[in-house]
């Protein structure tokens, strides 16, 4: 990774002095402080905000997140090392697996915030159970849990599908067998993008020299095109959901992705092109959304 591609405020010299895995967890990029959690302890604790050590089953008690226990029992996961990021809808932890480091995305209790204005993405998606459908629409506890399970299963499906199509997304580490994906519940386990020195930065967080910015933009348009070609619209496509790793763009955050036959697919694709262009302006790229859309649709 070139120094130019480091996130703003990332201390490259310090990271270089900290090459070991153990030290990874002391870097600024991983939140190990957790003061905010203890203040919340008396309130109803959103599930995704559990401390990393609380995620692993304790010797005598019931596991706090049964899915994590299941992943461990089945040999998918060896341990959780720390919290990587707490996003709007999920908390992402750093995990250890037999195949290397993993990102462990736990869809948090969706009572915390409204979830990606999800009605729009849900529209036309088959749930197959009117009671579950109603519970989700009403945002009852059951509905929120069902919704979290659906988002996780959908993210797995998209990761498998896009990887098979050659799109650069993190490798899913559970599946493609759907019964294993169902057992993993609201936990998406995928390969960690990054290395011992820290996670790959988002394109929103790096400063790039002009030629690299152009390559990143072209790569991002190429990925949008490849997705459209296999009938997928990301539906939240911007530099906030694109990682920059070793000179390539890695597309993340797929629970809201829709099929091309979704009734709003075209509209969402248009919005993706617009937010891609808008967020790339910080890198000095001036591109017209209509032109991007034309390129994507032409394949
Ligand atoms: N496979 C991965 N490797 C490294 N980092 C990852 C990976 N997956 C997610 N992350 C980090 O975790 C953050 C949150 O992940 P993601 O965007 O999938 O969830 P989110 O809940 O939608 O978050 P947000 O609200 O910030 O968009 C990402 O911005 C990225 O920094
Ligand atoms: Mg995101």
């Amino acid at each position: 990774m070139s120094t130019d591609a480091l996130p703003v405020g990332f201390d490259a010299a310090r990271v270089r002095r900290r090459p070991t895995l153990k030290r990874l967890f002391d870097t600024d990029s991983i939140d190990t402080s957790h003061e905010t959690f203890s203040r919340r302890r008396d309130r109803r604790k959103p599930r995704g905000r559990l401390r990393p050590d609380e995620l692993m089953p304790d010797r005598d008690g019931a596991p706090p997140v049964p899915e994590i226990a299941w992943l461990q029992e089945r040999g998918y996961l060896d341990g959780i090392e720390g919290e990587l990021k707490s996003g709007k809808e999920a908390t992402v932890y750093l995990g250890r697996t037999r195949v290397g480091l993993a990102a462990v995305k736990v869809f948090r209790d969706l009572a915390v915030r409204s979830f990606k204005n999800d009605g729009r993405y849900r529209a036309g998606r088959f749930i197959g159970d009117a009671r579950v459908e109603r519970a989700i629409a009403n945002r009852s506890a059951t509905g929120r849990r069902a919704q979290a399970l659906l988002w996780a299963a959908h993210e797995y499906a998209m990761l498998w599908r896009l990887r098979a199509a050659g799109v650069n997304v993190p490798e899913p580490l559970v599946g493609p067998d759907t019964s294993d994906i169902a057992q993993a519940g609201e936990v998406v386990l995928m390969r960690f993008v990054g290395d011992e020195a820290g996670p790959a930065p988002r394109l929103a967080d790096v400063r790039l020299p002009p030629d690299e910015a152009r390559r990143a933009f072209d790569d991002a348009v190429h990925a949008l095109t490849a997705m459209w070609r296999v009938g997928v619209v990301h539906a939240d496509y911007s530099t906030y959901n694109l990682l920059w790793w070793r000179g390539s763009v890695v597309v993340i955050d797929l629970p809201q992705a829709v099929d091309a036959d979704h009734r709003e697919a075209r509209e969402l694709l248009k919005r993706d092109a617009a937010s891609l262009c808008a967020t790339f302006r910080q890198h000095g790229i001036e591109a017209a959304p209509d032109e991007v859309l034309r390129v994507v649709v032409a394949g």
Side-chain angles (χ1 to χ4, degrees), residues 19 104 115 163 246:
V104 186
F115 193 62
R163 236 189 129 73
R246 296 182 173 153

Side-chain angles (χ1 to χ4, degrees), residues 84-92 102-103 105 107 115-116 155 170 190-194 199-202 205 236 240-241 243 252-256:
L84 266 177
K85 283 266 168 69
S86 194
K88 283 191 293 293
E89 287 90 23
T91 302
V92 181
K105 184 172 178 181
F107 283 83
F115 193 62
K116 294 211 195 267
E155 180 147 42
M190 62 190 133
R191 203 177 277 278
F192 174 69
V193 184
R202 303 181 306 179
D205 299 326
D236 194 8
Y240 292 94
N241 284 324
L243 303 182
I252 60 162
D253 202 0
L254 294 151
Q256 73 294 316

Side-chain angles (χ1 to χ4, degrees), residues 40-211:
R40 292 168 170 228
R41 200 151 276 169
D42 295 337
R43 289 195 252 136
R44 192 165 153 265
K45 184 158 41 180
R47 194 166 177 191
R49 293 293 301 206
L50 290 170
R51 285 203 321 262
D53 56 308
E54 289 177 320
L55 279 173
M56 298 311 278
D58 99 29
R59 221 157 285 235
D60 6 83
V65 181
E67 296 86 350
I68 295 276
W70 183 85
L71 287 166
Q72 210 186 11
E73 275 158 32
R74 290 296 293 257
Y76 281 118
L77 183 66
D78 293 337
I80 303 271
E81 300 289 354
E83 184 180 311
L84 266 177
K85 283 266 168 69
S86 194
K88 283 191 293 293
E89 287 90 23
T91 302
V92 181
Y93 301 88
L94 181 70
R96 245 180 313 108
T97 76
R98 60 176 65 154
V99 297
L101 294 176
V104 186
K105 184 172 178 181
V106 180
F107 283 83
R108 68 165 55 165
D109 186 324
L110 307 178
V112 186
R113 289 189 205 167
S114 78
F115 193 62
K116 294 211 195 267
N117 293 319
D118 51 351
R120 182 168 198 189
Y121 308 102
R122 235 179 28 236
R125 196 172 281 166
F126 181 69
I127 293 178
D129 183 324
R131 274 170 315 173
V132 174
E133 196 126 20
R134 263 199 310 279
I136 289 175
N138 297 335
R139 296 191 164 281
S140 69
T142 315
R144 292 195 306 269
R145 161 96 178 136
Q147 184 65 83
L149 295 176
L150 285 173
W151 287 121
H154 191 64
E155 180 147 42
Y156 272 121
M158 284 293 168
L159 288 171
W160 280 106
R161 182 165 156 193
L162 293 176
R163 236 189 129 73
V167 180
N168 201 4
V169 294
E171 180 190 352
L173 296 176
V174 175
D177 189 272
T178 47
S179 73
D180 273 14
I181 288 176
Q183 293 279 2
E186 61 200 53
V187 181
V188 175
L189 189 68
M190 62 190 133
R191 203 177 277 278
F192 174 69
V193 184
D195 61 18
E196 277 75 8
R202 303 181 306 179
L203 272 173
D205 299 326
V206 288
R207 267 196 296 268
L208 299 174
D211 57 329

